[in-house]
Amino acid sequence: MKEGIHPKYHQATVVCASCHTTFTVGSTRPDLRVDVCSSCHPFFTGKQTIIDTAGQVERFQKRLERSSRA
């Protein structure tokens, strides 16, 4: 390995913005901030929430209902 070309390796502290969980990982940055972590992500927790701001879910349900009747 060449000297002086590799970045410094740190034990980084990761902070989740959603649930404020903190844990450490190896990284080239000393601290990291993430929006969603494995403690609050729906895939890992099994709890899925649907955020519907414009009524898109209801419109989809209506289209699905119409297509199943026809």
Side-chain angles (χ1 to χ4, degrees):
M1 290 183 8
K2 290 186 177 182
E3 294 291 325
I5 64 168
H6 299 288
K8 298 286 184 195
Y9 194 72
H10 304 280
Q11 287 297 323
T13 303
V14 180
V15 179
C16 178
S18 299
C19 65
H20 305 292
T21 303
T22 60
F23 53 94
T24 59
V25 295
S27 176
T28 56
R29 300 182 76 187
D31 61 336
L32 301 168
R33 298 189 190 284
V34 294
D35 293 332
V36 180
C37 68
S38 61
S39 298
C40 59
H41 193 279
F43 181 79
F44 296 108
T45 61
K47 300 175 185 174
Q48 184 172 359
T49 58
I50 298 175
I51 300 171
D52 186 21
T53 57
Q56 294 176 0
V57 173
E58 287 83 12
R59 283 187 281 165
F60 174 76
Q61 294 293 344
K62 287 179 184 178
R63 275 191 304 211
L64 187 64
E65 187 178 300
R66 277 187 271 146
S67 65
S68 67
R69 283 188 284 170

